[in-house]
């Protein structure tokens, strides 16, 4: 079975008398270990799709299966636990707590896990080392660069050893050189560590790191193609 299966997925928002169709009948699957970029112009539905795939929102209709189980099989509380255990998230804005160290930021998902506290430091330092900023573990976000902050965010996403990492415009706040350095980290995590990566971006050069690109337009899949990297 595929890691992710989507069939006839639709998402519609209703506000007073206004009906907005954001996703319109999407169907695709993603295998474990894939690196997929989801592209599209603003308003195409790519962030809404990521929110549904990451259990941050529910579809209006259609089917979404993760590890062969449908999202409708879970309560919101159960989804939150599954999201923390199986999924890591990296956002454009880093979303780090400003007054605590990189180490303590990376530990955050462990607070909501069943992992014993005596293991938290070791697991967090392993993740920080994976992204190459072990020498910044005791610095606060304000003491490190934007690129290092995003590396810390990736380490936080890695600490639970998730099945899939969702990266939503992860290079959006970085200069070109730093953005490409960050993408090399994601590429390595995919190729050497086997993490499934689902990347949201509107930049072709960033999407080119992926092995497959799904292009959305007006809430529909316009193309779905494998890359020959």
């Amino acid at each position: 079975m595929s890691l992710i299966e989507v069939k006839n997925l639709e998402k519609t928002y209703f506000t007073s008398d206004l009906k907005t169709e954001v996703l319109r009948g999407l169907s695709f699957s993603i295998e474990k270990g894939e690196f997929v970029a989801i592209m599209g112009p603003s308003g195409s539905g790519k962030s809404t799709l990521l929110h549904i795939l990451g259990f941050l929102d529910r579809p209006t209709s259609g089917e979404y299966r993760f590890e062969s189980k449908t999202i409708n099989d879970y309560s919101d509380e159960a989804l939150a636990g599954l999201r923390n255990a199986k999924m890591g998230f990296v956002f454009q804005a880093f979303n780090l707590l400003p007054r605590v160290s990189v180490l303590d930021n990376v530990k955050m998902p462990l607070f909501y896990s069943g992992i014993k506290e005596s293991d938290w430091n070791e697991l967090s330092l392993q993740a920080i080392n994976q992204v190459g900023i072990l020498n910044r573990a005791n610095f606060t976000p304000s003491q490190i660069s934007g690129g290092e902050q995003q590396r810390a965010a990736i380490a936080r996403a890695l600490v639970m050893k998730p099945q899939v990492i969702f990266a939503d415009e992860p290079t959006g706040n970085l200069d070109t050189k730093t953005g490409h350095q960050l993408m090399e980290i994601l590429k390595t995590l995919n190729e050497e560590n086997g993490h499934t990566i689902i990347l949201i971006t509107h930049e072709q050069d960033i999407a080119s790191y992926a092995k497959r690109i799904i292009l959305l337009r007006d809430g529909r899949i316009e193309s779905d193609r494998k890359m020959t990297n």
Side-chain angles (χ1 to χ4, degrees):
M1 294 292 288
S2 302
L3 178 66
I4 285 172
E5 290 182 284
V6 168
K7 292 182 181 178
N8 300 318
L9 196 74
E10 301 202 354
K11 182 65 179 180
T12 302
Y13 292 102
F14 299 91
T15 54
S16 58
D17 295 331
L18 187 63
K19 175 183 175 182
T20 305
E21 295 179 343
V22 181
L23 300 178
R24 309 180 186 197
L26 305 188
S27 296
F28 62 89
S29 62
I30 295 175
E31 305 301 319
K32 185 177 179 181
E34 279 200 85
F35 189 159
V36 181
I38 298 173
M39 294 191 71
S42 184
S44 60
K46 54 188 186 296
S47 289
T48 299
L49 176 58
L50 180 139
H51 288 163
I52 292 172
L53 297 180
F55 294 157
L56 297 167
D57 198 0
R58 290 178 181 265
T60 304
S61 63
E63 186 174 83
Y64 169 36
R65 289 183 176 272
F66 181 82
E67 293 186 323
S68 76
K69 293 184 179 179
T70 175
I71 187 173
N72 295 322
D73 291 339
Y74 298 95
S75 66
D76 287 343
E77 184 179 358
L79 284 178
L82 188 62
R83 184 168 60 241
N84 190 57
K86 300 276 189 176
M87 299 174 174
F89 295 86
V90 182
F91 296 103
Q92 179 176 337
F94 315 145
N95 294 344
L96 299 172
L97 298 174
R99 297 180 182 175
V100 303
S101 67
V102 166
L103 177 59
D104 285 337
N105 267 285
V106 172
K107 281 183 190 176
M108 289 304 295
L110 298 168
F111 280 86
Y112 308 99
S113 73
I115 298 170
K116 58 186 180 181
E117 190 172 350
S118 57
D119 291 335
W120 291 2
N121 259 28
E122 181 181 354
L123 290 169
S124 299
L125 290 170
Q126 285 175 359
I128 293 167
N129 189 46
Q130 271 188 278
V131 300
I133 54 167
L134 193 57
N135 62 337
R136 297 289 191 264
N138 294 315
F139 287 52
T140 62
S142 64
Q143 293 174 313
I144 60 178
S145 69
E148 289 168 336
Q149 289 182 57
Q150 194 60 295
R151 288 178 187 233
I154 294 174
R156 181 183 56 197
L158 285 173
V159 73
M160 290 289 294
K161 304 186 188 310
Q163 285 279 4
V164 57
I165 295 172
F166 293 100
D168 191 358
E169 300 281 5
T171 62
N173 284 337
L174 305 176
D175 62 69
T176 301
K177 180 181 177 181
T178 306
H180 283 284
Q181 290 171 344
L182 185 85
M183 292 308 302
E184 288 291 343
I185 292 173
L186 291 177
K187 183 179 178 182
T188 298
L189 291 172
N190 173 252
E191 293 181 350
E192 296 183 12
N193 298 85
H195 288 286
T196 304
I197 310 285
I198 299 178
L199 168 74
I200 299 290
T201 184
H202 64 276
E203 299 179 72
Q204 184 63 51
D205 60 331
I206 296 300
S208 68
Y209 283 86
K211 298 171 184 173
R212 174 184 172 194
I213 295 178
I214 297 174
L215 178 63
L216 298 185
R217 191 174 299 277
D218 298 327
R220 294 186 173 91
I221 295 176
E222 184 171 275
S223 64
D224 182 350
R225 68 186 192 279
K226 300 277 188 180
M227 303 297 290
T228 54
N229 294 21

